[in-house]
Amino acid sequence: MSDVKKAVLAYSGGLDTSVILKWLQDTYQCEVVTFTADVGQGDELEAARPKALQCGIKPENIYIDDLREEFVRDFVFPMFRANTVYEGEYLLGTSIARPLIAKRMIEIVGLTASDAVVHGATGKGNDQVRFELGAYALKPDIRIIAPWREWDLLSREKLLTYAERHGIPVEMKHRQGGSPYSMDANLLHISYEGRHLEDPAAEAEESMWRWTVSPEAAPDAAEYVDLEFEKGDLVAINGTRMPAHELLALLNQLGGKHGIGRIDLVENRYVGMKSRGCYETPGGTILLPAHRAIESITLDREVAHLKDDLMARYASLIYNGYWWSPERLALQTLIDHTQQPVNGWVRVKLYKGNVIVVGRDSKTNSLFDSTIATFEDDAGAYDQKDAGGFIKLNALRMRIAAKLANRPH
Amino acid sequence: MSDVKKAVLAYSGGLDTSVILKWLQDTYQCEVVTFTADVGQGDELEAARPKALQCGIKPENIYIDDLREEFVRDFVFPMFRANTVYEGEYLLGTSIARPLIAKRMIEIVGLTASDAVVHGATGKGNDQVRFELGAYALKPDIRIIAPWREWDLLSREKLLTYAERHGIPVEMKHRQGGSPYSMDANLLHISYEGRHLEDPAAEAEESMWRWTVSPEAAPDAAEYVDLEFEKGDLVAINGTRMPAHELLALLNQLGGKHGIGRIDLVENRYVGMKSRGCYETPGGTILLPAHRAIESITLDREVAHLKDDLMARYASLIYNGYWWSPERLALQTLIDHTQQPVNGWVRVKLYKGNVIVVGRDSKTNSLFDSTIATFEDDAGAYDQKDAGGFIKLNALRMRIAAKLANRPH
Amino acid sequence: MSDVKKAVLAYSGGLDTSVILKWLQDTYQCEVVTFTADVGQGDELEAARPKALQCGIKPENIYIDDLREEFVRDFVFPMFRANTVYEGEYLLGTSIARPLIAKRMIEIVGLTASDAVVHGATGKGNDQVRFELGAYALKPDIRIIAPWREWDLLSREKLLTYAERHGIPVEMKHRQGGSPYSMDANLLHISYEGRHLEDPAAEAEESMWRWTVSPEAAPDAAEYVDLEFEKGDLVAINGTRMPAHELLALLNQLGGKHGIGRIDLVENRYVGMKSRGCYETPGGTILLPAHRAIESITLDREVAHLKDDLMARYASLIYNGYWWSPERLALQTLIDHTQQPVNGWVRVKLYKGNVIVVGRDSKTNSLFDSTIATFEDDAGAYDQKDAGGFIKLNALRMRIAAKLANRPH
Amino acid sequence: MSDVKKAVLAYSGGLDTSVILKWLQDTYQCEVVTFTADVGQGDELEAARPKALQCGIKPENIYIDDLREEFVRDFVFPMFRANTVYEGEYLLGTSIARPLIAKRMIEIVGLTASDAVVHGATGKGNDQVRFELGAYALKPDIRIIAPWREWDLLSREKLLTYAERHGIPVEMKHRQGGSPYSMDANLLHISYEGRHLEDPAAEAEESMWRWTVSPEAAPDAAEYVDLEFEKGDLVAINGTRMPAHELLALLNQLGGKHGIGRIDLVENRYVGMKSRGCYETPGGTILLPAHRAIESITLDREVAHLKDDLMARYASLIYNGYWWSPERLALQTLIDHTQQPVNGWVRVKLYKGNVIVVGRDSKTNSLFDSTIATFEDDAGAYDQKDAGGFIKLNALRMRIAAKLANRPH
C-alpha cells in the first residue's frame, strides 16, 4: 500500500480526526492536507493549525477557511426559499453544510494536486453519503477514504487506546466519556445524537441543549422583530441590512434568547434505519414561518401549491446528499424563479419558544386585494353570482356519477 | 315563483339565518325545514327551537342534531391521519365541518321529502363551495338556494332594516355593530375573519381570541400529557379512553389553558382571492405533532414520504370542498391503509403556547431498532462496508455525467 | 346597450363567425375589428378580407396575421420539451393554439384601442376557458363577449335562419348539414367532434379523416427519417435545417403519407363532462417518441423521472387553458433548464401507422457508457461487489419491518 | 467454508445456472435445491429434472412449478390496472416476474428448511436488486448468494472453460458464441440486451425478434378484437372467458401475428447506468390502450388524473424491485380501489403493428353522458351561462396579479 500520494482530510483538530490523521499517515503513507472549515460552528478554528503542524503537516498543506457567508448565502438561503422541512420537522441543519464542505475539499484537491479526500463520518450515518455524493459529482474519479468503514477502531475504547499508543493528546473529557452525545454544529443548527437519546421514549435532558435557553428560562417579555425579504431571501432585520451570515447569526441570538428552535424527533436515515435526533435551530425556526408569511401575500396560489407539492421531494434530495445532483439544480431553477415577487416585510413576535407572525406586507408585490376580500360592500369588484357557475361546473362530474349510481338497476 | 315546495335551511337561530328564513318564506313561498347541527360550536342549540316555532315552522320540521361524535370520528380523525395542513399553516377547522353538514342536510331532505337546501354562506367564500359540492355529490338533482348570491341585502345595514321591517328580533350587539369579526366554530376550531383583520399588516387584537389564553397568560408550570393511538387515531389521554369527541374536547381544554393553537395567516381561497384569517385550534395543534411522532417510529420511511408527497393535494381537496369526491375517497383508502401499524403512545409537554414532543414508543409496531442505530458496537447488525457500495451505485449516474462534462472538447 | 365601443372578433370568415359579426354589430352597436390568424390550419385566409369589408368592417380594422412560426417555435416546441400528453393519449393540438390567439387578440386590442374581445367558442367546451383565461391574464380588465353564452341561437337551424334573415351568405354545405363534425385545425393537428362520434362505442368513419391516409392505404415501403435536436427542439430533418413551422409541416406530410397520427379517444373536459374526440397529429406523433429517444441518452435518470412526474400536471395546465399562468411559467423554467444537454439525432422508421425509433446518438451529450453497461468484461469500470451493499442498505428498512412482523407475539 | 447448509437455486437447466450449480456445490459444499419456474417463458421445463438429477440433486429437492396463472392474475394484471409504463416506453415485462420468483423461492426455503437462496443475475443489472429486495422483504434473515458478484468467471470464455473442466454439457450454440443477446422471457414479454445492441445508434437486426413478425410481414387484413373488463382486469376476449394466463397468451398470439409490441429503447437502470434494451410485449401492447379506453368512460376525471400523477412513481417501484415494499402495497390499495367501476368492453383493431381503439362502452358504469356533451340542443341539461362564472373565478387570481403588474410605478 498505497496508490494514494496526497490526501485532503476534513480536519477539526479534535480527537477523532486527529486519530484519522495518524492512521492515514501510517496506513496510506501519504502526504496529508488538512482542511478546517468555519461554517459557524463556533469553535476556535485556528487551534487546528498548531495541532496539524505537530502531526507533521507542512504549513502550505494546512487550510483553514471561513465559509460562513458562502454557507448562508448559497446553501441555507436557497434551501429556505422552498420552505424546506424534512419529514415535517427537521430543518436540515447538518445536511445543508455537507455539500459545501465537499465542494471546498474538491477545490483544495485541485489546489494541492491531491488524489484523495478523507472524512470522519461513520458508515451508519447520512453524512458519509452527503459528503461522498458531492465529491463524486464534482470530481468523478476522486478517491474517497472513509476510515470508519475501513479500520477496526469501532468502539470508543479502541479509539482512545490507539490515540494513547500514538501520542495523540486526549483531553480529560474524552477519558471521562466525553459529551454523551454525538454533535454537529454550523450557523444553522447544532445536533445531538446517541447515548441517552437512543431510547426514543425518554425525554432529552435539559442539560443537553447548548444554544437555546428553555422556554421556561426565556424572558417574560415578548420581543417584536421585523424581517425584510428580497426575492425570497432575508436582507434586513429591524431595518438593518447585513451580510447573510450575520443575519442568521443575529436570528440565532434572538431565537436562543427566547427559547426558540428546539426539536426532538425520530427521523428516517437514507441508509435505512430510524434514528433519534435533537436539534437546535433558533434562527431557522424564526426564518421559516416568516418566509411562508411573506410568500402568503406575494405568491400566486398555484405557484405556492406547486412549491408545496415539490417541497418534500426537494427536502429528501438535500437530506439524502443530492445537493450537487442535476435534479436538485432543476428544482432550484423553478424555486428561484418563483421568488422574484417575494419582496416585503414580516413582523414576528418572539416569546418563550413561540414564533408568532403578527403582520406582513409588501409595498411592491402584495396580491392581497382588500377591495375584493372585504365582507363589506365591494362596489362590484367581485360578482357573487359568478360563484354559482363556478360551483355548478366543478360539481358536474360528481353529479353525473351520482346520477349513474342512483339509477335504478 | 316558485317551483320549490319544501326547503331545508341550515339554521342557527341567529340574525342572519333568521332573516334568511323569513326571506325564504316570502320569496319562495315554500315550507321550511330548519336544521341546526351541534358540531361542538358551544352554543345552546335548543334555543333555536322556540325561535323556529315563532317563525311558523312546524314542530316536525325542526331538526336539532348532535353530530359531535360523527364529526370527530368520521371527519376530523380521518383528516389527521394524513397530517393534513393547508398551505403550511391552516388545520382546516372550518373546511372539515362542511361535508358533514351537507350530508346531514341531504339526509333530512330525504326524511322530509324536501326539494331544496338553503345555506347562509356568502358568494365570496369557500363555504358555499364546500357545502354545495357536497350536496351535489350526494344528491345530484338537489335544488340549492344561496340567498347571499340572490338577494340584494348585501350590507349589514340593509340586513338590519329588513329584520326590523319583518319583526325579526335583533339583539343589541347587532345594533352596535356586533362582533367585529365573522366567526365560525366547531369542535376543531374557531375562526375569525373580516374587519380589523382585513389589513394583513396589522396585528390581531388580544381581545379577539376566545378559546385560548395568550401564551403570556398561560400557567407558569408545564403539563405533561400522554396520548395513545390506535391505527392512527387518538384513543386515550393520560390512560383514559373516551369517545372521539370527548378526546378532542379535552385536548381543546388543555390547549386553551396553555395558550396553544392560535394561528394568524393569509390563505388562498378556492374562489380566487387571498384572505386573512385567524384561527384557534388548541386540540388539533396538540394532535398534529403527536400523530407525526407516533408515525415517526411506526411508519416505514417510504410510506411516510408517500403520505407527505400527497398531503398537500389531500389538504387542498378538503379546503376546496371535495370531501365527497371520488379522488378524496381514493386517497383516503391509501391513507387509512397506511395507519394499520400506527399504534403506540406519545408524551407531549404543554407550556405557554408550546407543544413539545418529549417521548414516543410502540410496544407492538416500533421500527426503531436501537441495535442498528447505536453509535456503539452493534455486534454485526449492520455492516458499515455496505455503505460504500450503496454510495458508489447511487453516485454512478452523476460520475458518468461529470466525466462527460470534464472531457476535453 | 352598450358600454362596448370597439370589439376585436376572432374571425374566420365562415358561417359562425359571420353570424357573430352581424349579431355583434346589432346587439352591441359597436365598431368591430376582425382578426384572422394563420396557425397553419390550411385555409385561404385572405378570403376573409373581402367578406369582412362586405360586412362593413373598415380596412384598417381587418387583421390577418401569419402566426405559424411563432406558434411552433414558442408554443408547440416548448410543450414537446416536456413530452406532453393529456390523459395518456391526447397531444393537445387544439389547446396549444388558444393562448397564442388570446395573446395576439390582446395585442390588437392595444393597437386598435378596443375595449372588448369576442370569440366563437361554445359554452360547453374547453376553448372558451383557454381563450378567456389567456385574455384575462394578459389584460385583466378586458371585456369578453362569448355570444354562444349570451344569445339564443342554440341550434344550427336557428343560426341558419338568422343568417338568411340578415343576408349572410350560406354555403350549400351548411344547408345540407355541413360537415358532420365540429373541426379545428392548426399546424399541430386537426380535430373532429360531434355527430357520429357522440356514440363512443361506434367506430369513426374512414371518410372523416382528412390529413392522413389510413395505415392500409399507406405505402408498402417503409421510410427512414433522421431528426436532429438542439436543446430539446427539432432543428433539422434528414440533415436540412428549417424554420420550426416548416419542420413541423414536413413531419405532417411524412406522417400523413404513412398513415401516422390518428387518435380516437374519450377525454375529460375541464368544464366537467366527458367528450369523444378524434384527432390527426401526424407530425407530433413522430416528434414525441423521437424527443423521448434523444432524451433517453442525454438526460440524467432522475431529471427524466422528475419531468415524468410533473408531465401530467403540465399537460392539464395546457389542456385547461393555463398557458399564461404563473405556475405554467414556473414549470416551463424547470423544463427548459433540463433541455440544455438534449442534443443529438434520432432515426425513425415510418411504416403504415408505425413510428419506430431504430437509433439515437449524441456526439456531445450521450450519457450512455458502453464500457460500463457491457455484458463483457468491463476492465474494472464497475465493481459488481458494490451492488451487494447497495441492495443491503436499500433493503434494510424492509428487513427491520419483516423481523418485527415475524416476531413471536 | 461454509455456514450454508442447504441453498435453493433458481435453476433453468441452461449453461449458466448449471455452472452455478456446480460452483455452488464446490464452493459452499452445501445441499442444493433446484427451483424451475414456469412463468410462460415457453421452454420445456421438465428437461431441467434429469439435468438436476445428473448433477446429484435429490429428487425431493427438485421443484418445477407452473406459476403462470398466479403470475398474470396477481402480478401482471394488478400492474396494468395502473396503466404502468416505465420511462414512457417500457412495459416492465422482466421486472414484474422477479417478485413472484422471489416469493416462491422463499416458500421453497420454508418447505425444504434451506438457509440460502441463489440466483444467476449479474451484478450490473436490475434483476439482482429485484430478486434480493423481494427475498429480504419476505424473509429478512435469508442468506443470499449471487455468484456473479462472488466468483471470477466474469467472461464467457472463463465460463465455458469451467463448464468443460467440470463435465457440464455445453451445447454447440454456446461454443459458437450462442445467441448474441442476453434474453429473458415470460408470459408478458421477451427481452434482448447486449452485443449488437450495445451501440444505441444501430438498428436492431430483424433476425433478433422471436415472438412477433415484423409489421411488414403481418397480414394485410386487419382483425377486430373485443376485450371485456371487470374491475379493471381483462376477463374475456371476443366473448370467451378464460383464466388470466390464457387471456394473455391469446393476446400474445394475436399481437405476434399482427406485428405488435416491439420496443427498442435506452433505459435508466436502478444501479446507475443507461442500458439499451429491445422488448417484445405483444399482448401487453394491446392491453394497455384497451385498459386506458375502458377507464376513459368509467373513471372520474380527477381519479384518472390522480392515477396518472402516481403512475411513474409506481412504475419505478416495480422497475427498481420494490414490489414487496409497503409503499407499493399502499399504492396498490389506492389503484385497486379505483378499479371498482372499470367494467365494460373495448374494441381494438389490430393491423401491421397498430393497436387502434375504435370503440368502448360500459352498460353499468359509463360516465359518458351524451345528453350533456352533445353539440345539439341539450334540453337544459347544461347551462352554458355557468361557464362564465366558472372562468371568472378561475381567472381571478391571475387578474389580480396582472392588475398589480400593470400598476404605474
Side-chain angles (χ1 to χ4, degrees), chain A residues 87 123-124 140 200 269 274 299 301 305 327 349 352 354 360 372 374 378 382 384 397 399, chain B residues 87 123-124 140 200 203 216 269 274 299 301 305 327 352 354 360 372 374 378 382 384 397 399:
Chain A
E87 297 188 339
K124 284 188 174 181
R269 286 198 192 146
K274 288 182 182 292
L299 221 54
R301 179 185 72 199
H305 290 193
E327 65 272 24
K349 177 183 169 186
K352 284 187 178 289
N354 296 275
R360 69 296 277 167
I372 286 181
T374 184
D378 63 10
Y382 177 100
Q384 300 207 19
R397 63 187 171 92
R399 294 176 70 198
Chain B
E87 297 188 339
K124 284 188 173 180
E203 184 171 2
E216 287 90 337
R269 286 196 191 149
K274 289 183 183 291
L299 222 53
R301 179 185 74 200
H305 290 194
E327 65 272 24
K352 285 188 178 290
N354 296 276
R360 70 296 277 166
I372 286 182
T374 184
D378 62 9
Y382 177 99
Q384 300 207 20
R397 65 187 170 91
R399 294 177 70 198

Side-chain angles (χ1 to χ4, degrees), chain A residues 2-224:
Chain A
S2 125
D3 51 335
V4 176
K5 299 273 177 297
K6 202 193 255 188
V8 178
L9 167 65
Y11 178 71
S12 70
L15 176 63
D16 287 24
T17 54
S18 296
V19 169
I20 288 175
L21 201 168
K22 179 65 188 159
W23 176 87
L24 203 56
Q25 290 169 324
D26 287 357
T27 311
Y28 284 88
Q29 304 195 344
C30 62
E31 191 176 346
V32 176
V33 178
T34 63
F35 163 53
T36 310
D38 185 356
V39 288
Q41 61 269 55
D43 301 330
E44 180 41 66
L45 301 190
E46 273 303 323
R49 194 180 305 273
K51 291 185 183 175
L53 288 168
Q54 202 176 339
C55 296
I57 307 302
K58 298 180 198 161
E60 69 268 26
N61 278 348
I62 300 176
Y63 283 78
I64 300 179
D65 298 330
D66 181 352
L67 304 178
R68 290 175 302 159
E69 181 63 12
E70 186 179 2
F71 175 52
V72 179
R73 184 191 63 215
D74 296 346
F75 294 78
V76 175
F77 278 7
M79 180 172 79
F80 272 81
R81 289 176 204 148
N83 303 318
T84 314
V85 184
Y86 181 67
E87 297 188 339
E89 304 278 1
Y90 175 35
L91 297 184
L92 295 170
T94 299
S95 324
I96 192 62
R98 301 303 168 205
L100 170 56
I101 309 286
K103 169 174 173 276
R104 183 60 187 152
M105 284 190 80
I106 296 299
E107 287 168 0
I108 295 174
V109 163
L111 293 171
T112 58
S114 297
D115 47 13
V117 292
V118 190
H119 67 80
T122 82
K124 284 188 174 181
N126 296 303
D127 285 334
Q128 57 174 344
V129 190
R130 295 164 186 154
F131 179 83
E132 298 181 25
L133 289 180
Y136 282 136
L138 297 169
K139 192 167 173 60
D141 55 350
I142 190 69
R143 171 73 181 272
I144 296 174
I145 299 172
W148 287 95
R149 300 203 305 256
E150 293 190 19
W151 68 23
D152 56 356
L153 307 178
L154 290 174
S155 74
R156 191 128 289 260
E157 209 176 335
K158 288 183 186 165
L159 203 74
L160 289 173
T161 308
Y162 184 97
E164 284 171 4
R165 189 174 308 153
H166 293 83
I168 298 166
V170 177
E171 295 173 60
M172 189 53 68
K173 70 172 181 188
H174 289 300
R175 290 188 207 282
Q176 293 165 344
S179 163
Y181 306 105
S182 168
M183 296 190 294
D184 176 70
N186 58 50
L187 256 172
L188 184 53
H189 92 344
I190 180 166
S191 68
Y192 311 89
E193 292 184 305
R195 301 281 177 102
H196 301 112
L197 299 176
E198 290 187 4
D199 174 8
E203 183 170 3
E205 298 172 309
E206 179 57 35
S207 62
M208 176 189 74
W209 307 99
R210 302 198 167 196
W211 281 17
T212 61
V213 301
S214 71
E216 287 90 337
D220 287 331
E223 182 168 1
Y224 285 80

Side-chain angles (χ1 to χ4, degrees), chain D residues 68-82:
Chain D
R68 291 175 302 160
E69 182 63 10
E70 185 178 3
F71 176 51
V72 179
R73 185 191 61 215
D74 295 346
F75 295 78
V76 175
F77 279 7
M79 179 172 78
F80 271 81
R81 289 175 205 149

Side-chain angles (χ1 to χ4, degrees), chain B residues 14 42 105 115 215 280 382:
Chain B
M105 285 190 80
D115 47 12
E280 287 170 286
Y382 177 99

Side-chain angles (χ1 to χ4, degrees), chain A residues 86-89 122-124 128-129 132-133 136-138 140-141 148-150 154 182 193-195 197-198 200-204 215-216 220 222 224 264-266 268-276 289 292 295-301 304-305 308-309 312-313 316 322 324-327 345 349 351-354 356-361 367-368 370-378 382 384-385 387-388 390-392 394-395 397-399 402-403 406, chain B residues 86-89 122-124 128-129 132-133 136-138 140-141 148-150 154 182 193-195 197-198 200-204 215-216 222 224 264-266 268-276 289 292 295-301 304-305 308-309 312-313 316 322 324-327 345 349 351-354 356-361 367-368 370-378 382 384-385 387-388 390-392 394-395 397-399 402-403 406:
Chain A
Y86 181 67
E87 297 188 339
E89 304 278 1
T122 82
K124 284 188 174 181
Q128 57 174 344
V129 190
E132 298 181 25
L133 289 180
Y136 282 136
L138 297 169
D141 55 350
W148 287 95
R149 300 203 305 256
E150 293 190 19
L154 290 174
S182 168
E193 292 184 305
R195 301 281 177 102
L197 299 176
E198 290 187 4
E203 183 170 3
E216 287 90 337
D220 287 331
Y224 285 80
D264 175 340
L265 52 75
V266 173
N268 290 292
R269 286 198 192 146
Y270 189 30
V271 292
M273 80 218 17
K274 288 182 182 292
S275 154
R276 204 267 190 93
R292 274 212 169 270
E295 284 195 338
S296 77
I297 53 167
T298 58
L299 221 54
D300 172 80
R301 179 185 72 199
H305 290 193
D308 281 350
D309 287 342
R313 180 179 201 142
S316 285
Y322 290 94
W324 295 113
S325 72
E327 65 272 24
W345 65 263
K349 177 183 169 186
Y351 173 70
K352 284 187 178 289
N354 296 275
I356 303 162
V357 172
V358 299
R360 69 296 277 167
D361 202 6
L367 297 170
F368 185 92
S370 61
T371 61
I372 286 181
T374 184
F375 279 77
E376 307 303 313
D377 196 320
D378 63 10
Y382 177 100
Q384 300 207 19
K385 288 185 182 53
F390 177 75
I391 296 169
K392 274 291 207 38
N394 279 317
R397 63 187 171 92
M398 295 191 287
R399 294 176 70 198
K403 274 182 198 163
N406 295 344
Chain B
Y86 181 67
E87 297 188 339
E89 305 278 0
T122 82
K124 284 188 173 180
Q128 58 175 341
V129 189
E132 297 182 24
L133 288 181
Y136 282 136
L138 297 169
D141 55 350
W148 287 95
R149 300 202 305 257
E150 293 190 19
L154 290 174
S182 169
E193 292 184 305
R195 301 281 178 98
L197 299 176
E198 291 186 3
E203 184 171 2
E216 287 90 337
Y224 286 81
D264 175 340
L265 51 77
V266 173
N268 291 292
R269 286 196 191 149
Y270 189 32
V271 293
M273 80 220 15
K274 289 183 183 291
S275 153
R276 204 266 189 94
R292 273 208 170 273
E295 284 195 338
S296 77
I297 52 167
T298 57
L299 222 53
D300 171 80
R301 179 185 74 200
H305 290 194
D308 281 350
D309 287 342
R313 181 179 201 143
S316 285
Y322 290 94
W324 295 113
S325 73
E327 65 272 24
W345 65 263
K349 176 182 169 186
Y351 174 71
K352 285 188 178 290
N354 296 276
I356 303 163
V357 172
V358 299
R360 70 296 277 166
D361 201 4
L367 298 170
F368 184 91
S370 61
T371 61
I372 286 182
T374 184
F375 278 79
E376 307 303 313
D377 196 320
D378 62 9
Y382 177 99
Q384 300 207 20
K385 287 183 183 55
F390 178 75
I391 296 169
K392 274 294 206 38
N394 279 318
R397 65 187 170 91
M398 295 192 286
R399 294 177 70 198
K403 274 181 199 162
N406 295 344

